[in-house]
Amino acid sequence: MGALTDYWSVSTPNCTLSLSSTTTSLPFPPPPHVGDMNHHLPAIGPTQQPPCLDRLTETAALRTGGLEPEPERARCEWDFALASIVSSSSDSTRGAASDTLGVIEFDHSDTHIATGGIARKIRIYSLRSLLGGFGVGEDDGDAAIIDHASAFDYYICTPAKLSSLRWKPQSGSRVIGAGDYDGVVTEYDLERRVPTFERDEHGGRKVWSVDYTRWDPAVGASGSDDGTVQVWDTRSDGENCVAVVKPGSGAAVCSVEFNPFGGALLAVGCADRKAYGYDVRKLVEPVMVFSGHAKPVSYLRFLDTRSVVSASTDGCLKLWSVDDSRVVRTYRGHVNSRSFVGLSVWRNGGLLGCGSESNEVYVYDRRWGEPIWLHGFKNDQAVSGGGGFVSSVCWRQTGEDDCTLVAGGSDGCLRIFTGQRR
């Protein structure tokens, strides 16, 4: 796209775009050389097929001569172990109500973790310190019990409760964006520990999710209770954002995620029980609609270039095909009827992780609809308190045969699990 005129704007019932005269080009990737966005989603950067897809290809190759193989039963090909527990004190009920962990995020180097929640703090941890000498893949033993006060590297106080965090790409793990209960999106410089960017365009309504594009890290999006997705540019000093999108009927937007593989797709999960896919170069209307959940869609995550996973308070996860918006598989086992319990995907291993209102963390293999592993928080010695739920989870995106899963609870405690392929 070329240079803009003095002022370029487009208004539609679903979308308002505006760019100032100082902008020389659209902050979006160039148009593709293919037609239908539904079936030809272009990749802006290099893409790789996760190793787990090789096994799926092998299974599909068995379907010859018109004969279908017997359905495989779910099996766990991993040995998981609880490495450490980070707790506010030996009494897990103390301070739990004021320190529920709503979000956990690994940085892009997968060496540091950020957490946020009710306590109005962004805590930064080194993964090495949280493992407490427990190596990935070691046999399960007594988990290390670590106090929050000594576990984190540092923290930043925030003016409101936090519902979302996302490390800014290409920032060297120095910058993190946060969405809060007051409807404000703030960017923090972690080296100086000060806010450097702020947007307050959601009318004071809670921001549930924030994310950045990979093709231009200055461009991000936020989804809110006000029923809008705001697309913004941190280089802009003006009051207007890049775009405003109102998916569906204007129901609350619970999740936003740009294609992490570099494509032009923005995935949006809403309280109207649907998820949507938008081409960021033309946000007038969705290019795909994922319809099948019975309750609000709380999370949406890309599993690979052609698949997304959704979570809903109807108590299930769903794997969707980006090509035709159909449901590939439904995952059931965890309990989720009213709370945000987290969703994370480990792309290399094809594993899905989520929390549960039964106070357990669940792991699914993308190939089967039943869980392959679960761990009850209430069973952990020294910090068991009963009640509560697992409120956030996050996979470390490294390796193929070793993995790390971090889970947070409504009790304010972190659990770090390691796994090794058998």
Side-chain angles (χ1 to χ4, degrees), residues 47-223:
T47 61
Q48 292 183 341
Q49 178 169 284
C52 63
L53 291 186
D54 294 335
R55 296 191 294 276
L56 295 179
T57 303
E58 293 171 3
T59 301
L62 295 174
R63 295 170 179 164
T64 59
L67 297 177
E68 292 285 336
E70 288 294 326
E72 274 192 297
R73 295 183 62 86
R75 63 181 184 274
C76 185
E77 300 171 346
W78 300 84
D79 290 318
F80 290 102
L82 176 62
S84 56
I85 303 171
V86 184
S87 174
S88 296
S89 68
S90 58
D91 179 7
S92 66
T93 62
R94 188 175 147 195
S98 62
D99 202 15
T100 298
L101 296 173
V103 58
I104 303 169
E105 286 288 323
F106 270 100
D107 73 342
H108 296 287
S109 69
D110 285 295
T111 59
H112 288 81
I113 300 167
T115 68
I118 303 301
R120 305 189 184 195
K121 293 179 181 178
I122 300 174
R123 295 188 180 101
I124 307 297
Y125 301 86
S126 165
L127 178 61
R128 182 181 297 273
S129 66
L130 293 183
L131 286 175
F134 193 100
V136 173
E138 290 185 9
D139 293 334
D140 198 359
D142 294 332
I145 308 296
I146 311 171
D147 192 274
H148 272 299
S150 59
F152 59 78
D153 293 355
Y154 58 92
Y155 68 88
I156 298 175
C157 291
T158 62
K161 301 172 184 178
L162 297 174
S163 50
S164 180
L165 293 172
R166 191 56 60 97
W167 296 83
K168 188 173 185 176
Q170 302 177 28
S171 69
S173 301
R174 175 176 173 171
V175 179
I176 196 168
D180 67 30
Y181 279 43
D182 289 346
V184 179
V185 176
T186 308
E187 209 172 71
Y188 292 91
D189 184 319
L190 297 180
E191 194 170 277
R192 294 186 292 151
R193 303 178 194 178
V194 296
T196 56
F197 167 83
E198 183 176 289
R199 296 208 78 96
D200 185 8
E201 294 165 328
H202 287 290
R205 304 291 297 277
K206 187 182 303 181
V207 173
W208 285 116
S209 182
V210 297
D211 194 25
Y212 293 94
T213 67
R214 303 308 187 269
W215 34 265
D216 189 347
V219 177
S222 51

